[in-house]
Amino acid sequence: MTLVEVAGLEVSFGHEPPVVHDISFTIEDGECLALVGESGSGKSVTARTLLGLAGERARVRARTLRVGGADARNFSHRDWQRLRGKSVGMVLQDALVSLDPLRRIEDEVAESIRLHQRDSTRAERHQRVLEVLTEVGVPEPELRSQQYPHQLSGGLRQRALIASAVATRPDLVIADEPTTALDVLVQHQILRLLEEIKEQGRGLLLISHDLAVVAKLADRIAVMLDGRIVETGPTERIVGSPEHPYTRTLLDIARGRRAQRPPYTGGQTLLDVDGVTKDFGERRAVAGVSLTLRAGETVGLVGESGSGKSTLARMVMGLTEPDEGRILLRGQPWSGTPERARRAQRRHIQLIQQDPQAAFDPRHTVGRIIAEALPGQRGARRRARVTDLLATVGLDAHLARRRPHQLSGGQRQRVAIARALAPQPEVLICDEPVSALDVSVQAQVLDLLSELQQRLGIALLFITHDLTVVEQTSDRLLIMKDGEIVEEGLTKAAFEDPQHPYTNALLQAAPRLPGSPTAPKGELR
Amino acid sequence: MSATTAAFDTARPRWRATRGSHILLAISTLAVALIVALLLFPGVFAPYAPDTNDVQHTFSPPSSTHYLGTDQLGRDVFSRLVYGARYSVTTGLVATAIAVVAGSLVGLTAAAGSRLADALIMRLTDVWMAFPEVLLALLVIALIGTGSTQIAVAIGVAAVPYYGRLVRGQALAVTKAEYVEAAKILGVPAWRYVLRHVLPNVGGPVVVLASLGTGSAIAAAAGLSLLGLGPLPPTPEWGVMLAEGQTYLANAWWIAVFPGLAIVVVVLISTMLGRSLQARSLR
Amino acid sequence: MTRLLASQILPTLELALSAAVIGLLLALVATVITAGRSRIVRTGTSVFEVLAVAIPPFWLGILLLSIFSFNLRWFPAFGSHGVSGLVLPTLALAIPISGVLAQVMRQELELVEGRPFVLSARARGQSRLGLLLRHTLRHALLPATTMSAWVLGTLVGGAVLVEKVFSRPGLGTVLVNAVQHRDTPVVSAVVIIAALIFVVANTLADTLYPVIDVRLRETSRA
């Protein structure tokens, strides 16, 4: 049965140009279609249009718009309300904010049953909630159904959200970035669950920015760019022989196939972290970590959230003092020295953060932000140096007059890099430098960092949760779990022959495409 | 071939909000300029002197000769309001200035001081804020006596903890902000990043609160004068005019109603100014 | 003195509490009626709210007296004659405070309406009213709960002035006389009583808050 049939769909807001442009697709039962694109490509608007949720000011036009067997073009509010949650269920990203924090899991899961099966009794609904929670793999459903979202882990919350979408056994499930906010191991489990939902004979519309995530699950892929579908076809065809250059770019990024780095030859040790430990009350955030960083070298430090990697970064930056152990910078004592002594050394080590917006004074222009890193330079000389630095990171000089909030995410991160380079540091610490950016922008920023490193011979420490980022950039790899380093070695060796079971699990769970430099060896269940 | 579907949505376009706040800021700035002109040159705006009795024209309703009517002594209500701004508005401004200065000192001391000092000051402001502002002002007046200056001090003292808490909270948030940390990482000395980042970012919200607060300080001052604790008749202070006019409410409503309207207008202007400044800083 | 205060505190409390109830009701009605409506409706109500907040209760009292007592003669002008004597002073206090509460609730409501869980609920087929009653209104009530002690304090302070305008017996008369005669002990006593009311209200609000906001209950069971 055809669940969704869309032809010539166009969505616009107010009098602005359309954000979705003449797109057509169908979804059959038991089939998974994936809409892949970056932010602003129109993929989420398209998904919401299928539920009449594109927005108050949205103008929707289509030659054909059939959802659940009915012509939805002239649907009233009431028609949409009857369709939502009954024949179509929807799963959004990050269940912490996608489930009402003030209501019990049971109330959220039962909501669509109560709305669409009005004659159901309380006991029947409770029974069905337990059933569906069990189906999506929530252990102890009796207990969990009486809890609130904040009492569940990220993975359980996402399962509960999926349960709320499938409680009425809808024919079609729309999942909008269902795994984006999750750690890699949990992401793998949720993808397995979505696969089961598809195997039950339901249609699945999967929205994602990540080709590697959808490739395992989707039967067909439609690649979206600027509101248009630029390429569509069976998954094997899209992954195997892409036709559109944008699809190829996305695939290359997902496979980590980028410019080859010359092998690292070695230099003097710039940063020496020796057995540092940091406790916060009862909790040991960092437990006896040692690492070294040499000139011209890139080291990747990988860990999931809560692994202690950000605390380590703060100690390396001299913002937090270690409780035990010591840190040397360029052979000089760095940790445990007074700030007055440290200030003169600070220009040698710089930091790039995940969210550059927060790292800029909102009142200052880009020019002033960069100039702050150039003490002692005035007037025309300083302006020329700012222009220089902007050019180094590939930005036009006129951006110096803008304020941070007027820039795109990628531009902001480039400004952050320019500011970090201004004092000509020898060590650059990058804490999740690209995780807030779109994938193609991520690739550009990573390329920029690699290129700068080779040109300037800086030592880079990459702190990230994303193995792909490390694989593409790092000479050596450290894996951190619960405050300790569990794996250490050359990147290539660690990927091919992981020593620690945790590394192995991370590698297996990371979604990757056939043809990646290091393809998975076995299946993780 | 087309069908338009709609569903309710609360997303608002950004540019509209921004343009709206620009217009609001322009209007309120003009209004503030007008009030300043009233304060400096009341004679230019008022057709009559504030204290000229005219026994022939007592209780005349609003007309083209007396825009807002005359009172029980035949004095022109509009002219009295214009001259009265000197008392009412100035009292509110002085009260706010006292609250801002004292509040900033309290807040900065708490933020910069030791953990014990901070805790002590915060508990003190808790207690301070437990007293309703009007009642606390009354207590201060009972201690220092009645009059315009005393009212300004009383209202200012009652408002101190609100500014103190704001300044402390902002100062702590800004000190921990990543952009201040970024300056530290660059090796910028403490005095310089306090001057360059902390003070301007703490000051912004204080200006907003002061602008919003001036209106309520003016209203509170008028309220205390209404109770007979401020200047005495025949001073054309708005609260005093309200109290006098209330006696004649049954047959001459305009004597009491227009002074109150003047207060409302001034409060609205201060709210508008505060809101538009706030909208600009949030952008 | 104690007996004097005790006899005068009841009329003031009566006035402040009825104004708190009516103010909250007015704010709730305004929020429920206008939530999710078109921008024009919401802009219109927010203009009304700003206006309500800007009006000092003592002047609103004079306005109400002038219209409903002297012109329409619906309510007595002076004194506290049972319920009919309470209506105008209560409204004079309740309308400005309802503006404050409605602003706070609407702001929170609009913030919450942008959260993904609202989209989730709508995607399950929830109607406009259902969304409000089952999801968003509870969130909007949270900041209003936090403010309840402040609201009560402000109302007691405002009652002093409104009592003077309506010539009602209560703490207002006692207080003004005491201040004029620099009778500091009486003033201090009244101020401390008001502060006690605030502390009690605050404690009540603190106990009530976790009932509405489950996130503040113990979080260890996960």
Side-chain angles (χ1 to χ4, degrees):
Chain A
M1 195 185 101
T2 308
L3 298 172
V4 174
E5 194 180 347
V6 174
L9 177 69
E10 187 179 298
V11 184
S12 55
F13 289 93
H15 298 289
E16 284 153 46
V19 292
V20 172
H21 234 296
D22 188 29
I23 70 170
S24 307
F25 59 88
T26 59
I27 304 171
E28 306 286 326
D29 48 11
E31 181 195 45
C32 173
L33 171 71
L35 285 181
V36 176
E38 297 182 82
S39 60
S41 64
K43 57 191 196 303
S44 285
V45 174
T46 306
R48 284 167 201 194
T49 304
L50 297 182
L51 284 170
L53 289 172
E56 185 187 6
R57 297 180 318 118
R59 295 175 56 82
V60 178
R61 292 150 63 90
R63 280 194 306 280
T64 316
L65 181 60
R66 296 183 68 82
V67 186
D71 186 349
R73 286 185 302 169
N74 290 309
F75 264 16
S76 66
H77 279 283
R78 201 157 287 264
D79 294 332
W80 279 120
Q81 278 171 22
R82 266 197 288 268
L83 175 86
R84 295 174 194 153
K86 189 182 177 195
S87 19
V88 185
M90 179 138 151
V91 180
L92 298 169
Q93 78 169 56
D94 190 4
L96 181 56
V97 288
S98 294
L99 290 170
D100 189 336
L102 299 188
R103 301 182 82 210
R104 288 175 204 282
I105 298 297
E106 161 147 23
D107 296 327
E108 289 286 273
V109 175
E111 184 163 45
S112 51
I113 312 173
R114 208 186 44 242
L115 288 166
H116 298 292
Q117 296 162 17
R118 293 195 170 270
D119 53 346
S120 61
T121 65
R122 219 188 141 72
E124 281 168 9
R125 286 200 298 268
H126 181 65
Q127 203 48 48
R128 176 67 190 141
V129 167
L130 296 185
E131 239 174 75
V132 73
L133 282 177
T134 314
E135 276 172 36
V136 300
V138 172
E140 303 175 273
E142 275 285 359
L143 167 71
R144 296 303 181 183
S145 66
Q146 298 312 307
Q147 289 185 325
Y148 291 92
H150 72 272
Q151 295 172 305
L152 270 53
S153 67
L156 279 186
R157 273 202 301 265
Q158 199 66 13
R159 284 173 194 270
L161 184 65
I162 292 173
S164 82
V166 300
T168 49
R169 302 188 180 88
D171 302 322
L172 175 70
V173 174
I174 299 175
D176 192 350
E177 301 276 6
T179 62
T180 300
L182 303 173
D183 277 337
V184 88
L185 290 172
V186 184
Q187 180 182 36
H188 178 80
Q189 294 162 0
I190 296 297
L191 287 175
R192 282 284 310 143
L193 176 59
L194 289 172
E195 202 172 349
E196 280 168 27
I197 287 171
K198 188 183 86 172
E199 282 159 6
Q200 289 162 3
R202 298 179 213 287
L204 186 60
L205 176 60
L206 186 63
I207 315 288
S208 180
H209 68 280
D210 191 344
L211 259 176
V213 163
V214 304
K216 262 194 177 164
L217 199 55
D219 301 297
R220 285 182 302 124
I221 293 178
V223 178
M224 283 189 79
L225 175 66
D226 296 333
R228 288 186 168 80
I229 293 183
V230 293
E231 182 164 9
T232 179
T235 303
E236 305 85 80
R237 219 267 300 141
I238 296 277
V239 174
S241 50
E243 279 160 14
H244 196 276
Y246 182 66
T247 315
R248 261 178 250 138
T249 311
L250 286 181
L251 280 167
D252 283 349
I253 293 163
R255 287 190 176 122
R257 215 187 259 154
R258 303 209 339 274
Q260 283 297 306
R261 298 163 37 78
Y264 169 69
T265 46
Q268 66 172 126
T269 300
L270 292 175
L271 181 72
D272 186 358
V273 176
D274 186 12
V276 295
T277 294
K278 183 76 194 173
D279 295 329
F280 292 113
E282 295 287 292
R283 202 173 60 83
R284 175 148 290 194
V286 175
V289 167
S290 300
L291 66 90
T292 56
L293 194 58
R294 286 167 293 179
E297 181 188 35
T298 305
V299 172
L301 178 68
V302 182
E304 303 200 319
S305 47
S307 60
K309 58 189 198 300
S310 288
T311 308
L312 183 62
R314 290 185 61 82
M315 289 193 285
V316 167
M317 287 312 300
L319 297 169
T320 304
E321 287 297 327
D323 295 333
E324 286 166 35
R326 57 179 194 144
I327 300 172
L328 301 178
L329 180 66
R330 304 166 79 234
Q332 307 287 320
W334 177 244
S335 63
T337 50
E339 182 61 29
R340 192 180 295 273
R342 203 144 44 183
R343 197 172 294 141
Q345 300 298 314
R346 281 204 176 275
R347 64 178 206 84
H348 299 301
I349 182 165
Q350 288 294 307
L351 175 72
I352 293 166
Q353 281 151 306
Q354 175 176 358
D355 179 11
Q357 173 92 63
F360 299 148
D361 190 326
R363 308 167 63 93
H364 289 187
T365 60
V366 166
R368 230 182 130 183
I369 286 165
I370 297 176
E372 182 165 44
L374 300 165
Q377 297 188 20
R378 294 273 170 276
R381 194 156 144 250
R382 189 166 78 176
R383 273 197 299 280
R385 182 88 175 98
V386 169
T387 309
D388 259 12
L389 283 162
L390 284 174
T392 310
V393 295
L395 291 177
D396 201 87
H398 77 269
L399 290 178
R401 286 193 298 273
R402 298 264 183 91
R403 276 170 216 284
H405 68 88
Q406 295 168 314
L407 303 180
S408 72
Q411 285 174 328
R412 273 200 290 267
Q413 201 55 286
R414 284 168 192 267
V415 172
I417 295 171
R419 175 173 67 179
L421 291 178
Q424 298 173 310
E426 293 169 32
V427 181
L428 204 51
I429 311 293
C430 306
D431 190 359
E432 301 277 8
V434 295
S435 55
L437 306 175
D438 270 335
V439 277
S440 67
V441 184
Q442 281 189 7
Q444 291 164 12
V445 170
L446 290 177
D447 283 344
L448 173 68
L449 284 169
S450 294
E451 182 216 314
L452 289 170
Q453 182 197 28
Q454 278 158 41
R455 194 141 54 87
L456 306 171
I458 316 173
L460 275 180
L461 179 63
F462 250 109
I463 300 174
T464 178
H465 71 283
D466 189 348
L467 274 172
T468 350
V469 168
V470 170
E471 183 181 0
Q472 290 164 26
T473 52
S474 304
D475 304 300
R476 282 194 297 130
L477 175 69
L478 299 164
I479 292 186
M480 208 169 162
K481 183 177 192 296
D482 301 329
E484 289 176 43
I485 304 278
V486 295
E487 177 97 29
E488 181 170 10
L490 294 177
T491 306
K492 205 160 177 295
F495 269 76
E496 277 161 11
D497 185 20
Q499 299 301 307
H500 195 277
Y502 179 70
T503 315
N504 202 18
L506 275 181
L507 284 171
Q508 298 287 352
R512 53 191 55 241
L513 291 162
S516 299
T518 42
K521 282 177 196 149
E523 189 67 8
L524 181 88
R525 298 306 301 200
Chain B
M1 81 145 229
S2 88
T4 305
T5 49
F8 65 96
D9 189 14
T10 51
R12 254 184 266 180
R14 278 175 80 108
W15 63 270
R16 204 179 279 271
T18 333
R19 197 183 63 170
S21 78
H22 274 300
I23 296 172
L24 210 61
L25 185 64
I27 296 175
S28 42
T29 312
L30 268 179
V32 169
L34 191 68
I35 292 177
V36 171
L38 278 182
L39 291 177
L40 294 177
F41 314 106
V44 177
F45 299 89
Y48 302 91
D51 46 4
T52 312
N53 297 0
D54 184 352
V55 282
Q56 323 258 268
H57 297 101
T58 55
F59 299 116
S60 36
S63 67
S64 56
T65 44
H66 296 285
Y67 306 134
L68 305 180
T70 62
D71 66 5
Q72 70 280 9
L73 297 174
R75 296 173 296 191
D76 184 56
V77 172
F78 177 69
S79 302
R80 284 176 65 73
L81 284 181
V82 171
Y83 281 96
R86 282 199 164 172
Y87 300 92
S88 300
V89 176
T90 314
T91 308
L93 285 173
V94 172
T96 308
I98 291 172
V100 168
V101 173
S104 303
L105 285 176
V106 169
L108 288 177
T109 313
S114 66
R115 201 172 282 201
L116 181 70
D118 184 27
L120 274 176
I121 291 175
M122 281 303 100
R123 287 296 78 73
L124 183 70
T125 56
D126 270 348
V127 176
W128 209 330
M129 285 163 88
F131 299 98
E133 278 185 82
V134 174
L135 298 191
L136 193 56
L138 281 171
L139 179 63
V140 175
I141 291 171
L143 293 172
I144 64 175
T146 59
S148 275
T149 319
Q150 284 82 347
I151 284 187
V153 172
I155 293 172
V157 167
V160 166
Y162 297 92
Y163 292 89
R165 295 214 138 209
L166 177 73
V167 168
R168 172 189 174 266
Q170 278 299 116
L172 287 181
V174 173
T175 325
K176 287 203 187 94
E178 279 182 35
Y179 56 83
V180 172
E181 207 153 72
K184 195 175 169 188
I185 287 171
L186 287 169
V188 176
W191 63 268
R192 190 178 285 166
Y193 64 68
V194 165
L195 218 58
R196 199 182 279 167
H197 300 290
V198 181
L199 282 187
N201 282 298
V202 172
V206 174
V207 171
V208 170
L209 182 65
S211 166
L212 291 169
T214 303
S216 39
I218 290 169
L224 293 175
S225 300
L226 171 78
L227 295 176
L229 306 174
L232 300 171
T235 314
E237 200 278 340
W238 297 347
V240 176
M241 289 174 71
L242 260 173
E244 280 188 276
Q246 212 203 325
T247 326
Y248 309 102
L249 201 55
N251 43 19
W253 55 268
W254 53 89
I255 308 178
V257 167
F258 286 120
L261 197 61
I263 298 170
V264 173
V265 169
V266 171
V267 174
L268 280 178
I269 290 170
S270 104
T271 311
M272 252 171 31
L273 183 68
R275 289 284 182 86
S276 48
L277 288 174
Q278 196 172 27
R280 270 170 66 92
S281 68
L282 285 180
R283 223 167 356 111
Chain C
M1 185 182 103
T2 321
R3 193 176 309 154
L4 173 77
L5 283 179
S7 68
Q8 299 300 307
I9 199 166
L10 276 180
T12 303
L13 262 186
E14 179 187 52
L15 180 58
L17 282 176
S18 54
V21 172
I22 301 295
L24 184 63
L25 280 180
L26 285 176
L28 267 177
V29 169
T31 313
V32 170
I33 289 178
T34 57
R37 300 282 178 199
S38 69
R39 188 160 59 236
I40 300 160
V41 174
R42 280 182 287 127
T43 313
T45 36
S46 61
V47 168
F48 262 107
E49 285 157 13
V50 170
L51 210 61
V53 175
I55 297 176
F58 56 85
W59 181 66
L60 185 57
I62 287 178
L63 210 59
L64 293 172
L65 267 180
S66 164
I67 297 170
F68 294 105
S69 295
F70 291 114
N71 282 314
L72 299 172
R73 300 182 183 284
W74 288 358
F75 296 100
F78 302 106
S80 61
H81 305 289
V83 175
S84 70
L86 194 61
V87 174
L88 292 186
T90 300
L91 282 180
L93 276 174
I95 289 173
I97 208 78
S98 76
V100 177
L101 290 173
Q103 276 180 344
V104 170
M105 280 160 62
R106 180 185 321 285
Q107 197 180 14
E108 187 67 16
L109 205 59
E110 289 186 2
L111 197 78
V112 164
E113 275 169 354
R115 298 265 163 81
F117 75 80
V118 171
L119 190 63
S120 292
R122 289 171 66 195
R124 291 181 203 125
Q126 196 57 272
S127 64
R128 194 189 70 84
L129 195 65
L131 195 64
L132 194 67
L133 295 181
R134 292 201 178 268
H135 294 270
T136 48
L137 199 58
R138 275 177 89 169
H139 289 261
L141 275 170
L142 286 177
T145 317
T146 325
M147 287 175 66
S148 52
W150 176 85
V151 166
L152 211 60
T154 306
L155 287 176
V156 170
V160 170
L161 288 159
V162 169
E163 280 166 2
K164 156 90 175 163
V165 167
F166 284 91
S167 316
R168 269 176 66 90
L171 286 185
T173 322
V174 182
L175 202 56
V176 173
N177 283 335
V179 171
Q180 269 163 348
H181 297 107
R182 314 258 315 237
D183 188 351
T184 323
V186 174
V187 182
S188 314
V190 174
V191 171
I192 287 167
I193 289 171
L196 274 178
I197 296 174
F198 177 93
V199 170
V200 170
N202 220 355
T203 317
L204 272 177
D206 281 352
T207 19
L208 205 67
Y209 202 88
V211 176
I212 310 178
D213 192 349
V214 293
R215 286 164 293 189
L216 293 185
R217 296 182 208 160
E218 47 86 35
T219 55
S220 57
R221 272 192 292 169

